[in-house]
Short mmCIF file of all heavy atoms in Angstrom, two decimals:
data_model
loop_
_atom_site.label_atom_id
_atom_site.label_comp_id
_atom_site.label_asym_id
_atom_site.label_seq_id
_atom_site.Cartn_x
_atom_site.Cartn_y
_atom_site.Cartn_z
N PHE A 186 2.50 -22.21 21.12
CA PHE A 186 1.44 -23.22 20.96
C PHE A 186 2.04 -24.56 20.55
O PHE A 186 1.74 -25.60 21.12
CB PHE A 186 0.41 -22.76 19.92
CG PHE A 186 -0.61 -23.82 19.61
CD1 PHE A 186 -1.62 -24.14 20.53
CD2 PHE A 186 -0.56 -24.53 18.41
CE1 PHE A 186 -2.54 -25.14 20.25
CE2 PHE A 186 -1.50 -25.52 18.13
CZ PHE A 186 -2.49 -25.83 19.05
N CYS A 253 -9.59 -24.93 19.45
CA CYS A 253 -8.22 -25.38 19.23
C CYS A 253 -8.22 -26.47 18.16
O CYS A 253 -9.07 -27.36 18.16
CB CYS A 253 -7.66 -25.93 20.54
SG CYS A 253 -6.06 -26.75 20.35
N LEU A 254 -7.26 -26.40 17.23
CA LEU A 254 -7.22 -27.37 16.14
C LEU A 254 -6.82 -28.76 16.64
O LEU A 254 -7.01 -29.75 15.94
CB LEU A 254 -6.22 -26.88 15.07
CG LEU A 254 -6.56 -25.53 14.43
CD1 LEU A 254 -5.47 -25.10 13.46
CD2 LEU A 254 -7.92 -25.56 13.74
N VAL A 255 -6.28 -28.83 17.87
CA VAL A 255 -5.86 -30.12 18.43
C VAL A 255 -6.94 -30.70 19.33
O VAL A 255 -7.32 -31.86 19.19
CB VAL A 255 -4.53 -29.97 19.21
CG1 VAL A 255 -4.15 -31.27 19.92
CG2 VAL A 255 -3.41 -29.53 18.28
N CYS A 256 -7.48 -29.88 20.29
CA CYS A 256 -8.36 -30.43 21.34
C CYS A 256 -9.75 -29.78 21.38
O CYS A 256 -10.55 -30.13 22.23
CB CYS A 256 -7.67 -30.28 22.70
SG CYS A 256 -7.67 -28.57 23.29
N LYS A 257 -10.02 -28.86 20.50
CA LYS A 257 -11.34 -28.20 20.39
C LYS A 257 -11.67 -27.20 21.52
O LYS A 257 -12.72 -26.60 21.53
CB LYS A 257 -12.49 -29.21 20.29
CG LYS A 257 -12.34 -30.27 19.21
CD LYS A 257 -12.91 -29.78 17.88
CE LYS A 257 -13.05 -30.93 16.89
NZ LYS A 257 -11.76 -31.17 16.20
N THR A 258 -10.78 -27.05 22.51
CA THR A 258 -10.98 -26.04 23.56
C THR A 258 -10.92 -24.64 22.93
O THR A 258 -10.08 -24.41 22.07
CB THR A 258 -9.86 -26.17 24.63
OG1 THR A 258 -9.87 -27.52 25.12
CG2 THR A 258 -10.06 -25.21 25.78
N CYS A 273 -4.01 -21.97 23.81
CA CYS A 273 -5.01 -22.98 24.17
C CYS A 273 -4.79 -23.35 25.63
O CYS A 273 -3.72 -23.83 25.99
CB CYS A 273 -4.86 -24.22 23.29
SG CYS A 273 -5.89 -25.58 23.91
N LYS A 275 -5.79 -25.74 27.31
CA LYS A 275 -5.58 -27.18 27.58
C LYS A 275 -4.24 -27.69 27.03
O LYS A 275 -3.53 -28.41 27.72
CB LYS A 275 -6.74 -27.97 26.96
CG LYS A 275 -6.78 -29.41 27.46
CD LYS A 275 -8.06 -30.11 27.03
CE LYS A 275 -7.95 -31.60 27.30
NZ LYS A 275 -8.91 -32.36 26.49
N CYS A 276 -3.91 -27.30 25.82
CA CYS A 276 -2.67 -27.80 25.20
C CYS A 276 -1.42 -27.11 25.76
O CYS A 276 -0.32 -27.65 25.65
CB CYS A 276 -2.69 -27.57 23.70
SG CYS A 276 -3.91 -28.55 22.82
ZN1 LIG B 1 -5.77 -27.37 22.55
#
Side-chain angles (χ1 to χ4, degrees):
F186 174 73
C253 171
L254 300 176
V255 174
C256 74
K257 308 272 193 277
T258 304
C273 170
K275 193 170 169 200
C276 292

